[in-house]
Amino acid sequence: MTPTIAILLIITFVVSAVGLLLLIWSIATNQFGHGRLAARTIFLEGEEGHGEDPARDAGSEQADADISHEELQTREVADQSSRQAALAWLGSAVFWLLVGSAYGLLTSGKFHWPELLADSEWLTFGRVRPMHLNAVAYGWASMAGVGVAIFLIPRLFKTALVGGRYALSGAGLWNLGMILGLVAINLGLSDGEEWLEFPWQVDILFVIGGGLCAIPLVLTAANRRVSHLYVTSWYLLAALVWFPILFLLANLPGLFPGASGATVNWWFAHNVLGLWVTPIGVGIAYYMIPKILGRPIISYQLSLIGFWSLALFYSQVGIHHLVGGPVPTWLVTLSIVHSVMMSIPVITVAINHHGTMWGHFGMLRRSPTLRFVWIGALMYTVSSLQGSMEALRSVNVITHFTHYTVGHAHLGMYAFLSMILFGAIYFIMPRLLNWEWPWRPLITLHFWLVSIGILIYVVALSVGGWLQGLALLDADTPFMEIVRLTLPYLETRTLGGAMMALGHLIFAIHFVAMLTRRGKDRRQPTLFRAGERQHKHSSVEAQQ
C-alpha cells in the first residue's frame, strides 16, 4: 500500500466516521422524526398550497395565500439582505459562462477541424480545452451555485444574511483567481492534471475566497430563527465544508507524484462532482420544486437518508476512472462498489423530486423555474444511474478513453446542474431586484436552445463514443479508420454546442436587461405562457 492510498483511506475513514457521528446526533436529536412538519419549514404560515413563482406583488400574494404581513416582511428583509453578495456571485457566473462557452465551442470545432486556428500557440487544443473546463466548472457552476446558496440560506434560516461583506470580498478574490488561472493556462503554465490545471499559487486565492464566502453562511446559520434545518440547508452547508478540504488537499504541491498523483487527481475530480456539484444541485431542487408547487416533498425522512448515503458512499467513487491503470486492483474494486452503492441516494432523491411532481406536471407548461429545475433533477437521476453502470468493468472497458465519457460528464455537469442553476436564477432575480424578467420569448428561446442542444450533444457523443470503444477493442481496425468513424458524431456535437452557446448568449443578454430594469414594470411573474397566472392548489392537495 502506497502512502497516497493510505492517506486517501484515512481521509475516507475520517469523513465516514464524522458522517456517522453526525448521523447518530441527528437521530438522537430527532431530526428524522419531524416528518411532514419538517418538510413544511420552507413555507410561511398560510403559504402551503400556494406556489411562489416568483410573484413580485407582495400584497396580492398576501391576499391570495392569507400570509401575515409580518412574515412577508421578514422574508423580504431576508431576500434583500443577500442582494449585493448574491448579485456579485451570479453576475460573475454569467460572465464566465460566456467565456467558457466560447472556449468550449472552439474546443469542439478542433476535433473535426484540426486546422482551426492551428497557427496560434495561444489557441491550441491543449490550452483552450482546460480553459473551457475551468471557466465553466469554477467560474460558471461554482460561482452560480454559491450565489444561489447565498440567497437561499437567509430564506431557509428565516433571518437576514450576516456578514455579507465577506462574501463580496470572496467574490473579488475568486474572480481574480479565475483571471490569473486562465491567463496562466493560456501561457502554458498549467499544472497538467485534469480539474487541477490552475497553478497552486493561484489556488490560494480560491481557498481564501471560498473561506470568506463560508463565513456569512456559518454566521447566518448561528443566527437562525428555525429549530429544524431543512434538508436543503444540509446539502448546501455540507458542500461548502467538503469542497475546501478536497481542493486544498488535491492542490498541495509536490505531495503526490507519479501514479499516486493520478489516484489523487481522480479522487478529487469525481468528488468535485459528487461532494460539491451534486449537493448544490440536489439541495436547490429540494427547495425550488416544493416552493413552486406549494406542496412539501412527499417523504422528508427519505430526503435525509439520501443525504447521508451520499456522504458515506461517494468519497471513493472516482478511482473507477483508473480501471486498468497502475493502481491496486482492490482499490479500483472498492471504487466500483461505491459507485454501485450510489444508486441508493439517487433513487431516494428521484422518489422525492419526481414523486412530489406527480399529478402536477401541467405546471411545467407555465413555470420557467419549475421546467428548468425539474428537467435538471430528472437528468441527475439519469446521469447518476448511467455513472454507476459506467463504473462496471464490463462497461468501462468499452467506454474508457472514448467520447462517451465526455457525453456522460456533460449530462451531469450541464443537463443536471446548469439546468437547475438556470431555473434558480429565473426565480431569484425578481426577488433581488423587485423587477420581473422583461421578455418572456427570450426565456422560451433560452430553454429550447439549451435543451435541444444538450440532447444533440449527449446523444451524438454517447453513440459515437460507444462505437469508438468497440472499434478500439478490435486490434485489426486501423486507428485512423476509428478517427474517421467518429467525425460525423463530433460534427453533430459542435452543432449541439453551438445551440447551447447561443442559448447562453440570449440568457446573458436577458440577465443584463434584468439588471438594468428594461421592459415594463409588471406585477405578475414572467411565465412561459402569457396571461396565465400562478396555478393554485388547495391545502388538502398539498398535504396529500
Side-chain angles (χ1 to χ4, degrees):
M1 180 185 295
T2 65
T4 298
I5 295 175
I7 291 173
L8 289 181
L9 291 178
I10 291 172
I11 293 173
T12 301
F13 173 77
V14 171
V15 170
S16 299
V18 172
L20 182 60
L21 290 175
L22 290 174
L23 176 60
I24 295 172
W25 168 83
S26 65
I27 295 173
T29 56
N30 201 30
Q31 296 292 315
F32 280 85
H34 292 284
R36 300 295 291 175
L37 182 61
R40 295 186 176 99
T41 57
I42 60 173
F43 298 104
L44 303 180
E45 186 176 351
E47 186 181 24
E48 189 177 344
H50 301 268
E52 182 189 354
D53 193 21
R56 289 179 46 241
D57 191 347
S60 173
E61 187 178 351
Q62 180 182 1
D64 290 343
D66 194 25
I67 305 172
S68 70
H69 176 72
E70 290 76 16
E71 286 193 309
L72 281 174
Q73 193 172 35
T74 299
R75 188 169 68 185
E76 185 177 355
V77 169
D79 289 349
Q80 292 303 309
S81 69
S82 63
R83 177 176 176 173
Q84 289 185 333
L87 287 178
W89 282 87
L90 293 177
S92 302
V94 173
F95 170 78
W96 292 118
L97 174 65
L98 294 180
V99 173
S101 300
Y103 279 110
L105 195 57
L106 178 59
T107 301
S108 181
K110 283 178 173 290
F111 273 105
H112 55 85
W113 188 6
E115 298 85 5
L116 179 63
L117 301 175
D119 295 333
S120 172
E121 63 178 307
W122 315 101
L123 299 174
T124 57
F125 178 84
R127 297 189 184 183
V128 298
R129 197 272 175 179
M131 292 179 74
H132 160 67
L133 172 63
N134 285 272
V136 296
Y138 300 119
W140 155 245
S142 294
M143 297 200 75
V146 171
V148 175
I150 289 173
F151 173 83
L152 288 182
I153 289 296
R155 277 190 160 223
L156 292 165
F157 297 153
K158 297 184 179 180
T159 186
L161 185 72
V162 181
R165 63 185 183 277
Y166 294 110
L168 281 171
S169 301
L173 287 176
W174 196 286
N175 278 310
L176 179 60
M178 286 297 305
I179 294 170
L180 295 178
L182 292 179
V183 169
I185 294 174
N186 198 235
L187 294 174
L189 302 176
S190 167
D191 278 356
E193 294 180 296
E194 194 167 8
W195 293 85
L196 296 170
E197 287 91 353
F198 287 164
W200 67 266
Q201 295 89 342
V202 174
D203 293 329
I204 296 173
L205 295 172
F206 290 96
V207 174
I208 298 174
L212 286 173
C213 184
I215 292 175
L217 301 181
V218 174
L219 292 177
T220 307
N223 199 43
R224 68 186 185 274
R225 297 180 181 177
V226 293
S227 59
H228 178 81
L229 297 183
Y230 183 69
V231 65
T232 296
S233 308
W234 295 43
Y235 276 106
L236 295 181
L237 291 174
L240 291 164
V241 171
W242 286 331
F243 179 72
I245 297 173
L246 296 170
F247 193 78
L248 182 62
L249 286 174
N251 281 288
L252 291 175
L255 188 60
F256 306 113
S260 298
T263 305
V264 174
N265 185 190
W266 279 108
W267 171 79
F268 168 78
H270 226 293
N271 280 338
V272 167
L273 297 176
L275 299 180
W276 173 237
V277 166
T278 296
I280 288 176
V282 171
I284 293 171
Y286 262 124
Y287 182 86
M288 292 295 172
I289 292 176
K291 284 294 284 184
I292 302 300
L293 295 178
R295 64 194 302 253
I297 55 175
I298 61 173
S299 175
Y300 193 75
Q301 287 86 350
L302 206 57
S303 72
L304 299 183
I305 292 173
F307 172 82
W308 288 114
S309 54
L310 173 71
L312 295 174
F313 295 144
Y314 204 96
S315 59
Q316 286 297 332
V317 166
I319 311 301
H320 74 251
H321 282 274
L322 299 176
V323 171
V327 295
T329 301
W330 65 264
L331 183 63
V332 176
T333 301
L334 177 65
S335 178
I336 294 172
V337 171
H338 278 239
S339 298
V340 174
M341 293 296 289
M342 273 300 298
S343 59
I344 295 176
V346 171
I347 292 172
T348 61
V349 169
I351 291 173
N352 257 332
H353 286 170
H354 311 315
T356 304
M357 280 290 302
W358 193 259
H360 298 79
F361 289 101
M363 290 192 66
L364 295 174
R365 298 196 304 268
R366 294 178 290 274
S367 169
T369 293
L370 187 61
R371 192 184 296 186
F372 275 101
V373 170
W374 179 75
I375 287 180
L378 180 63
M379 291 302 102
Y380 169 68
T381 306
V382 174
S383 63
S384 298
L385 294 178
Q386 182 192 38
S388 296
M389 293 298 296
E390 195 176 343
L392 300 176
R393 285 186 172 89
S394 57
V395 178
N396 194 278
V397 70
I398 299 174
T399 61
H400 206 39
F401 300 123
T402 70
H403 299 298
Y404 184 97
T405 304
V406 180
H408 167 67
H410 282 76
L411 189 64
M413 194 71 179
Y414 190 92
F416 157 47
L417 179 65
S418 290
M419 294 295 277
I420 288 179
L421 292 175
F422 287 140
I425 291 173
Y426 280 121
F427 179 93
I428 289 171
M429 291 297 287
R431 288 301 191 192
L432 294 179
L433 298 174
N434 289 320
W435 196 261
E436 281 297 333
W437 293 92
W439 302 305
R440 177 180 60 89
L442 290 190
I443 302 179
T444 303
L445 187 58
H446 172 217
F447 173 80
W448 287 113
L449 281 172
V450 297
S451 298
I452 297 174
I454 190 61
L455 178 64
I456 292 173
Y457 192 104
V458 171
V459 170
L461 290 187
S462 298
V463 174
W466 189 268
L467 295 176
Q468 178 190 16
L470 293 175
L472 286 171
L473 293 176
D474 184 1
D476 296 328
T477 304
F479 181 74
M480 288 309 299
E481 183 177 328
I482 300 174
V483 173
R484 284 190 289 270
L485 168 69
T486 62
L487 286 178
Y489 302 99
L490 296 175
E491 292 167 350
T492 306
R493 159 189 169 155
T494 300
L495 172 63
M499 294 180 67
M500 293 155 61
L502 179 58
H504 301 160
L505 180 60
I506 291 170
F507 172 65
I509 291 172
H510 208 185
F511 185 89
V512 173
M514 185 71 172
L515 287 175
T516 55
R517 294 193 175 190
R518 297 295 179 91
K520 298 180 180 179
D521 182 7
R522 291 179 288 107
R523 298 291 171 177
Q524 291 301 322
T526 306
L527 303 177
F528 277 125
R529 292 172 176 257
E532 291 197 26
R533 299 195 56 177
Q534 180 82 12
H535 188 64
K536 301 293 191 292
H537 301 288
S538 67
S539 298
V540 175
E541 287 180 326
Q543 295 171 4
Q544 289 177 348

